[in-house]
Amino acid sequence: QKEVEQDPGPLSVPEGAIVSLNCTYSNSAFQYFMWYRQYSRKGPELLMYTYSSGNKEDGRFTAQVDKSSKYISLFIRDSQPSDSATYLCAMSGGGFQKLVFGTGTRLLVSP
Amino acid sequence: GAVVSQHPSRVICKSGTSVKIECRSLDFQATTMFWYRQFPKQSLMLMATSNEGSKATYEQGVEKDKFLINHASLTLSTLTVTSAHPEDSSFYICSAESNRQPNTEAFFGQGTRLTVV
């Protein structure tokens, strides 16, 4: 079993839809949870990160962590074609050291 | 700010040769850089942690004699794949942690696609 599971997609949605991206994990030692966005031929860029359980909101993006279920989510409201990218979840036991990544979900937002 | 440049973006080499990949932090200093590898349809996997002026720390299963890491300055780390074989073909990507804000964020380069023929 992989430490972090993420559906590779692709996930296709129309513009304006609410997008839900998810990851599950097995290591209860993970405390930091990150979401990265990666455009084609670019490196991943950090969208949000949360520590332990709870929600965090930044504009159209909301990250949720449920440690009891070992489940994290990223919600994108009012999705735009420019949101089309691969979204990677990552997590660690301590900050940005030794990140463990999911495979990434490819999101396609059509106009 | 916080730009990490990786070079080359693509490289094709013959089996048995060595390939060097550079990772530079352009507008910040980075004591710590990280090297990841991604095989097709798999996740990014940490290979090693590179510390300026000291030996790199390799993850379990990564051959340190095959993947040579040099972090000679605060803005440059290099990964050399020695005696490359087709199974080393992969996407290699680095990230760098700013000295000003340690353990707050690591910024990624754009990656290097290595193909060994």
Side-chain angles (χ1 to χ4, degrees):
Chain A
Q1 183 189 6
K2 295 179 185 176
E3 274 195 292
V4 179
E5 298 275 2
Q6 185 176 10
D7 187 333
L11 175 63
S12 296
V13 300
E15 183 175 357
I18 296 174
V19 175
S20 173
L21 303 165
N22 312 293
C23 289
T24 59
Y25 63 96
S26 58
N27 190 341
S28 57
F30 290 145
Q31 296 281 355
Y32 291 81
F33 304 92
M34 297 80 169
W35 285 97
Y36 287 85
R37 178 175 60 196
Q38 185 175 22
Y39 291 113
S40 181
R41 298 180 183 174
K42 300 283 187 181
E45 58 174 325
L46 182 68
L47 279 175
M48 301 177 71
Y49 77 93
T50 53
Y51 172 73
S52 194
S53 285
N55 294 0
K56 189 172 185 178
E57 189 174 320
D58 184 1
R60 296 185 295 113
F61 299 88
T62 300
Q64 286 186 352
V65 174
D66 181 350
K67 290 189 70 181
S68 62
S69 302
K70 296 190 177 67
Y71 188 88
I72 69 170
S73 302
L74 177 70
F75 297 97
I76 307 174
R77 290 183 298 280
D78 187 26
S79 57
Q80 303 294 309
S82 59
D83 294 328
S84 298
T86 296
Y87 289 80
L88 301 153
C89 65
M91 45 199 81
S92 76
F96 288 82
Q97 306 275 338
K98 291 181 178 283
L99 293 179
V100 180
F101 280 85
T103 53
T105 299
R106 189 171 167 221
L107 172 66
L108 302 171
V109 182
S110 54
Chain B
V3 177
V4 175
S5 176
Q6 197 172 330
H7 179 81
S9 57
R10 280 182 183 270
V11 60
I12 300 173
C13 71
K14 291 185 178 180
S15 186
T17 62
S18 296
V19 173
K20 180 186 284 188
I21 302 169
E22 292 187 348
C23 179
R24 291 180 186 275
S25 55
L26 297 186
D27 50 3
F28 65 97
Q29 293 186 331
T31 300
T32 305
M33 293 186 175
F34 305 92
W35 286 97
Y36 292 84
R37 176 171 57 184
Q38 184 178 31
F39 291 110
K41 297 187 179 181
Q42 295 187 25
S43 55
L44 283 165
M45 296 287 289
L46 180 66
M47 297 175 68
T49 301
S50 168
N51 295 296
E52 186 265 339
S54 63
K55 290 183 178 180
T57 304
Y58 290 81
E59 295 301 302
Q60 191 174 9
V62 178
E63 300 173 60
K64 62 180 181 181
D65 294 330
K66 182 169 183 63
F67 298 98
L68 301 179
I69 292 172
N70 186 297
H71 193 156
S73 79
L74 287 171
T75 59
L76 174 65
S77 176
T78 60
L79 169 68
T80 301
V81 183
T82 62
S83 186
H85 291 285
E87 57 265 30
D88 298 322
S89 298
S90 188
F91 183 68
Y92 293 85
I93 192 164
C94 69
S95 67
E97 195 175 78
S98 170
N99 283 4
R100 287 187 180 179
Q101 296 178 305
N103 211 24
T104 55
E105 183 176 352
F107 303 94
F108 282 85
Q110 73 272 36
T112 297
R113 177 75 57 190
L114 170 64
T115 303
V116 184
V117 298

